[in-house]
Short mmCIF file of all heavy atoms in Angstrom, two decimals:
data_model
loop_
_atom_site.label_atom_id
_atom_site.label_comp_id
_atom_site.label_asym_id
_atom_site.label_seq_id
_atom_site.Cartn_x
_atom_site.Cartn_y
_atom_site.Cartn_z
N GLY J 243 109.14 122.78 115.84
CA GLY J 243 109.16 122.60 117.30
C GLY J 243 109.58 121.18 117.61
O GLY J 243 110.64 120.74 117.19
N GLN J 244 108.75 120.46 118.35
CA GLN J 244 109.05 119.12 118.79
C GLN J 244 108.62 118.10 117.72
O GLN J 244 108.99 116.93 117.84
CB GLN J 244 108.30 118.79 120.11
CG GLN J 244 108.57 119.72 121.21
CD GLN J 244 109.84 119.38 121.97
OE1 GLN J 244 110.88 119.24 121.37
NE2 GLN J 244 109.72 119.20 123.27
N ASN J 245 107.84 118.53 116.75
CA ASN J 245 107.24 117.62 115.83
C ASN J 245 108.04 117.47 114.53
O ASN J 245 108.54 118.44 114.02
CB ASN J 245 105.79 118.04 115.51
CG ASN J 245 104.96 118.09 116.72
OD1 ASN J 245 105.00 117.19 117.55
ND2 ASN J 245 104.17 119.19 116.84
N SER J 246 108.09 116.24 114.04
CA SER J 246 108.77 115.99 112.78
C SER J 246 107.72 115.33 111.85
O SER J 246 107.03 114.37 112.26
CB SER J 246 109.96 115.05 112.97
OG SER J 246 110.38 114.60 111.74
N LEU J 247 107.59 115.84 110.64
CA LEU J 247 106.61 115.33 109.71
C LEU J 247 107.41 114.76 108.53
O LEU J 247 108.05 115.45 107.78
CB LEU J 247 105.68 116.45 109.25
CG LEU J 247 104.55 116.05 108.31
CD1 LEU J 247 103.57 115.11 109.04
CD2 LEU J 247 103.81 117.32 107.82
N HIS J 248 107.32 113.42 108.39
CA HIS J 248 108.05 112.74 107.31
C HIS J 248 107.20 112.85 106.00
O HIS J 248 106.18 112.18 105.87
CB HIS J 248 108.20 111.27 107.71
CG HIS J 248 109.25 110.54 106.88
ND1 HIS J 248 109.54 109.24 107.11
CD2 HIS J 248 110.06 110.94 105.89
CE1 HIS J 248 110.51 108.85 106.24
NE2 HIS J 248 110.79 109.88 105.52
N VAL J 249 107.60 113.71 105.10
CA VAL J 249 106.74 114.08 103.95
C VAL J 249 107.10 113.25 102.72
O VAL J 249 106.22 112.73 102.05
CB VAL J 249 106.86 115.56 103.61
CG1 VAL J 249 106.04 115.94 102.37
CG2 VAL J 249 106.37 116.39 104.78
N LEU J 250 108.39 113.12 102.43
CA LEU J 250 108.78 112.22 101.28
C LEU J 250 109.55 111.06 101.85
O LEU J 250 110.49 111.20 102.58
CB LEU J 250 109.67 113.01 100.31
CG LEU J 250 109.02 114.27 99.65
CD1 LEU J 250 110.02 114.90 98.69
CD2 LEU J 250 107.73 113.90 98.91
N LYS J 251 109.07 109.86 101.45
CA LYS J 251 109.53 108.65 102.16
C LYS J 251 110.31 107.70 101.21
O LYS J 251 109.95 106.50 101.09
CB LYS J 251 108.32 107.92 102.73
CG LYS J 251 107.55 108.81 103.75
CD LYS J 251 106.27 108.18 104.19
CE LYS J 251 105.53 109.11 105.16
NZ LYS J 251 104.17 108.66 105.40
N GLY J 252 111.29 108.24 100.53
CA GLY J 252 112.07 107.36 99.66
C GLY J 252 111.56 107.40 98.23
O GLY J 252 111.09 106.43 97.67
N ILE J 253 111.67 108.60 97.64
CA ILE J 253 111.15 108.77 96.24
C ILE J 253 112.25 108.44 95.23
O ILE J 253 113.35 108.96 95.37
CB ILE J 253 110.67 110.22 96.02
CG1 ILE J 253 109.56 110.59 96.98
CG2 ILE J 253 110.27 110.47 94.57
CD1 ILE J 253 108.19 110.24 96.59
N ASP J 254 111.90 107.60 94.31
CA ASP J 254 112.79 107.32 93.15
C ASP J 254 112.11 107.79 91.90
O ASP J 254 110.94 107.51 91.72
CB ASP J 254 112.99 105.79 92.96
CG ASP J 254 113.74 105.15 94.09
OD1 ASP J 254 114.71 105.75 94.60
OD2 ASP J 254 113.32 104.04 94.52
N LEU J 255 112.82 108.52 91.06
CA LEU J 255 112.20 109.07 89.86
C LEU J 255 113.25 109.39 88.83
O LEU J 255 114.29 109.92 89.18
CB LEU J 255 111.42 110.32 90.23
CG LEU J 255 110.55 111.01 89.23
CD1 LEU J 255 109.48 110.07 88.68
CD2 LEU J 255 109.84 112.25 89.86
N GLU J 256 112.92 109.03 87.61
CA GLU J 256 113.86 109.39 86.51
C GLU J 256 113.07 110.04 85.43
O GLU J 256 112.06 109.52 84.98
CB GLU J 256 114.52 108.12 86.01
CG GLU J 256 115.85 108.40 85.34
CD GLU J 256 116.71 107.12 85.18
OE1 GLU J 256 116.72 106.29 86.08
OE2 GLU J 256 117.39 107.07 84.16
N ILE J 257 113.47 111.23 85.02
CA ILE J 257 112.76 111.95 83.98
C ILE J 257 113.77 112.31 82.87
O ILE J 257 114.81 112.92 83.09
CB ILE J 257 112.16 113.26 84.54
CG1 ILE J 257 111.19 112.91 85.70
CG2 ILE J 257 111.42 114.02 83.47
CD1 ILE J 257 110.73 114.12 86.50
N GLU J 258 113.46 111.83 81.66
CA GLU J 258 114.33 112.00 80.54
C GLU J 258 114.18 113.42 80.00
O GLU J 258 113.13 114.03 80.13
CB GLU J 258 113.97 111.04 79.42
CG GLU J 258 114.01 109.56 79.79
CD GLU J 258 115.42 109.08 80.05
OE1 GLU J 258 116.39 109.67 79.56
OE2 GLU J 258 115.55 108.06 80.80
N ALA J 259 115.21 113.93 79.35
CA ALA J 259 115.14 115.21 78.66
C ALA J 259 114.03 115.16 77.64
O ALA J 259 113.90 114.19 76.92
CB ALA J 259 116.49 115.52 78.00
N GLY J 260 113.22 116.18 77.61
CA GLY J 260 112.14 116.31 76.61
C GLY J 260 110.86 115.64 77.00
O GLY J 260 109.88 115.72 76.30
N GLU J 261 110.83 115.04 78.20
CA GLU J 261 109.59 114.41 78.65
C GLU J 261 108.59 115.44 79.15
O GLU J 261 108.95 116.57 79.51
CB GLU J 261 109.85 113.45 79.82
CG GLU J 261 110.14 112.01 79.40
CD GLU J 261 109.96 111.02 80.55
OE1 GLU J 261 110.86 110.94 81.39
OE2 GLU J 261 108.89 110.35 80.57
N MET J 262 107.30 115.07 79.15
CA MET J 262 106.27 115.92 79.78
C MET J 262 105.53 115.02 80.72
O MET J 262 104.85 114.11 80.32
CB MET J 262 105.34 116.50 78.73
CG MET J 262 104.25 117.38 79.29
SD MET J 262 103.51 118.43 78.01
CE MET J 262 102.45 119.47 78.98
N ILE J 263 105.66 115.29 82.01
CA ILE J 263 105.06 114.43 83.01
C ILE J 263 104.19 115.23 84.01
O ILE J 263 104.38 116.41 84.19
CB ILE J 263 106.11 113.58 83.80
CG1 ILE J 263 106.83 114.47 84.78
CG2 ILE J 263 107.08 112.85 82.86
CD1 ILE J 263 107.11 113.71 86.06
N SER J 264 103.25 114.51 84.61
CA SER J 264 102.49 115.13 85.67
C SER J 264 102.68 114.36 86.96
O SER J 264 102.95 113.17 86.95
CB SER J 264 100.98 115.16 85.28
OG SER J 264 100.55 113.90 84.86
N ILE J 265 102.54 115.10 88.06
CA ILE J 265 102.62 114.49 89.41
C ILE J 265 101.26 114.75 90.04
O ILE J 265 100.84 115.88 90.16
CB ILE J 265 103.75 115.15 90.22
CG1 ILE J 265 105.11 114.88 89.55
CG2 ILE J 265 103.72 114.56 91.64
CD1 ILE J 265 106.28 115.63 90.20
N MET J 266 100.57 113.66 90.36
CA MET J 266 99.23 113.77 90.95
C MET J 266 99.22 113.21 92.38
O MET J 266 100.03 112.35 92.68
CB MET J 266 98.22 112.95 90.15
CG MET J 266 97.68 113.65 88.94
SD MET J 266 96.20 112.78 88.35
CE MET J 266 94.89 113.76 89.13
N GLY J 267 98.31 113.70 93.16
CA GLY J 267 98.14 113.15 94.51
C GLY J 267 97.26 114.05 95.33
O GLY J 267 97.09 115.24 94.98
N ALA J 268 96.75 113.52 96.43
CA ALA J 268 95.88 114.32 97.27
C ALA J 268 96.61 115.49 97.90
O ALA J 268 97.85 115.52 97.91
CB ALA J 268 95.33 113.39 98.39
N SER J 269 95.86 116.46 98.37
CA SER J 269 96.46 117.59 99.06
C SER J 269 97.24 117.08 100.27
O SER J 269 96.77 116.23 101.03
CB SER J 269 95.34 118.52 99.47
OG SER J 269 95.84 119.59 100.23
N GLY J 270 98.45 117.58 100.42
CA GLY J 270 99.29 117.17 101.54
C GLY J 270 100.13 115.93 101.27
O GLY J 270 100.87 115.50 102.17
N SER J 271 100.03 115.38 100.08
CA SER J 271 100.76 114.15 99.80
C SER J 271 102.26 114.33 99.55
O SER J 271 103.03 113.40 99.47
CB SER J 271 100.13 113.38 98.64
OG SER J 271 100.11 114.20 97.50
N GLY J 272 102.67 115.62 99.35
CA GLY J 272 104.08 115.89 99.16
C GLY J 272 104.46 116.36 97.78
O GLY J 272 105.70 116.50 97.45
N LYS J 273 103.50 116.67 96.96
CA LYS J 273 103.75 117.07 95.56
C LYS J 273 104.60 118.34 95.50
O LYS J 273 105.61 118.40 94.76
CB LYS J 273 102.43 117.32 94.80
CG LYS J 273 101.50 116.18 94.80
CD LYS J 273 100.21 116.46 94.02
CE LYS J 273 99.35 117.61 94.54
NZ LYS J 273 98.79 117.38 95.85
N SER J 274 104.18 119.41 96.21
CA SER J 274 104.93 120.65 96.15
C SER J 274 106.32 120.50 96.76
O SER J 274 107.27 121.07 96.24
CB SER J 274 104.16 121.75 96.87
OG SER J 274 102.96 122.05 96.20
N THR J 275 106.40 119.71 97.81
CA THR J 275 107.72 119.45 98.45
C THR J 275 108.62 118.81 97.43
O THR J 275 109.81 119.26 97.27
CB THR J 275 107.54 118.52 99.66
OG1 THR J 275 106.62 119.17 100.57
CG2 THR J 275 108.84 118.22 100.33
N LEU J 276 108.17 117.86 96.70
CA LEU J 276 109.01 117.19 95.70
C LEU J 276 109.40 118.17 94.57
O LEU J 276 110.56 118.27 94.22
CB LEU J 276 108.24 115.99 95.07
CG LEU J 276 108.92 115.27 93.91
CD1 LEU J 276 110.27 114.71 94.37
CD2 LEU J 276 108.04 114.13 93.40
N LEU J 277 108.40 118.95 94.12
CA LEU J 277 108.71 119.91 93.04
C LEU J 277 109.73 120.96 93.51
O LEU J 277 110.62 121.37 92.77
CB LEU J 277 107.42 120.60 92.56
CG LEU J 277 107.47 121.12 91.16
CD1 LEU J 277 107.45 119.98 90.13
CD2 LEU J 277 106.35 122.11 90.83
N ASN J 278 109.58 121.41 94.76
CA ASN J 278 110.53 122.38 95.30
C ASN J 278 111.95 121.82 95.44
O ASN J 278 112.94 122.54 95.24
CB ASN J 278 110.07 122.93 96.67
CG ASN J 278 108.84 123.79 96.53
OD1 ASN J 278 108.53 124.27 95.43
ND2 ASN J 278 108.13 124.01 97.59
N ILE J 279 112.03 120.56 95.70
CA ILE J 279 113.36 119.90 95.79
C ILE J 279 113.91 119.82 94.37
O ILE J 279 115.07 120.20 94.14
CB ILE J 279 113.29 118.50 96.44
CG1 ILE J 279 113.03 118.66 97.94
CG2 ILE J 279 114.58 117.72 96.21
CD1 ILE J 279 112.70 117.37 98.66
N LEU J 280 113.09 119.41 93.41
CA LEU J 280 113.54 119.36 92.00
C LEU J 280 113.99 120.74 91.54
O LEU J 280 114.93 120.89 90.76
CB LEU J 280 112.43 118.82 91.09
CG LEU J 280 111.97 117.38 91.32
CD1 LEU J 280 110.88 117.01 90.32
CD2 LEU J 280 113.14 116.43 91.21
N GLY J 281 113.30 121.79 92.02
CA GLY J 281 113.62 123.18 91.64
C GLY J 281 114.73 123.81 92.45
O GLY J 281 115.02 125.01 92.28
N ILE J 282 115.39 123.03 93.27
CA ILE J 282 116.47 123.51 94.17
C ILE J 282 116.00 124.71 94.96
O ILE J 282 116.77 125.62 95.27
CB ILE J 282 117.80 123.84 93.40
CG1 ILE J 282 117.93 122.96 92.17
CG2 ILE J 282 118.99 123.65 94.34
CD1 ILE J 282 119.16 123.31 91.33
N LEU J 283 114.73 124.68 95.34
CA LEU J 283 114.17 125.73 96.21
C LEU J 283 114.14 125.22 97.65
O LEU J 283 114.00 126.01 98.57
CB LEU J 283 112.74 126.06 95.78
CG LEU J 283 112.57 126.70 94.40
CD1 LEU J 283 111.12 126.66 93.95
CD2 LEU J 283 113.05 128.14 94.42
N ASP J 284 114.30 123.90 97.78
CA ASP J 284 114.27 123.34 99.13
C ASP J 284 115.30 122.20 99.16
O ASP J 284 115.67 121.66 98.13
CB ASP J 284 112.86 122.80 99.43
CG ASP J 284 112.56 122.69 100.90
OD1 ASP J 284 113.52 122.84 101.72
OD2 ASP J 284 111.39 122.45 101.26
N SER J 285 115.74 121.87 100.36
CA SER J 285 116.74 120.83 100.51
C SER J 285 116.06 119.49 100.84
O SER J 285 114.88 119.47 101.14
CB SER J 285 117.73 121.17 101.62
OG SER J 285 117.02 121.33 102.82
N TYR J 286 116.81 118.41 100.82
CA TYR J 286 116.27 117.11 101.23
C TYR J 286 117.21 116.53 102.26
O TYR J 286 118.34 116.98 102.45
CB TYR J 286 116.09 116.18 100.02
CG TYR J 286 117.33 116.03 99.14
CD1 TYR J 286 118.25 114.98 99.40
CD2 TYR J 286 117.63 116.89 98.12
CE1 TYR J 286 119.35 114.83 98.62
CE2 TYR J 286 118.76 116.76 97.35
CZ TYR J 286 119.62 115.72 97.61
OH TYR J 286 120.76 115.53 96.85
N ASP J 287 116.69 115.53 103.01
CA ASP J 287 117.49 115.00 104.14
C ASP J 287 118.43 113.87 103.72
O ASP J 287 119.57 113.79 104.21
CB ASP J 287 116.53 114.47 105.22
CG ASP J 287 115.57 115.53 105.68
OD1 ASP J 287 115.98 116.73 105.69
OD2 ASP J 287 114.43 115.23 106.00
N SER J 288 117.95 112.99 102.88
CA SER J 288 118.85 111.91 102.41
C SER J 288 118.40 111.48 101.02
O SER J 288 117.30 111.78 100.58
CB SER J 288 118.85 110.73 103.40
OG SER J 288 117.54 110.17 103.44
#
Side-chain angles (χ1 to χ4, degrees):
Q244 304 276 54
N245 300 316
S246 168
L247 185 64
H248 197 181
V249 177
L250 298 181
K251 301 172 181 168
I253 301 273
D254 294 319
L255 186 58
E256 204 163 324
I257 302 169
E258 303 291 338
E261 270 199 282
M262 181 162 186
I263 73 142
S264 49
I265 299 172
M266 276 196 97
S269 176
S271 57
K273 304 181 297 296
S274 294
T275 301
L276 175 59
L277 205 72
N278 290 343
I279 290 171
L280 296 181
I282 330 176
L283 294 164
D284 204 350
S285 61
Y286 53 92
D287 302 327
S288 64

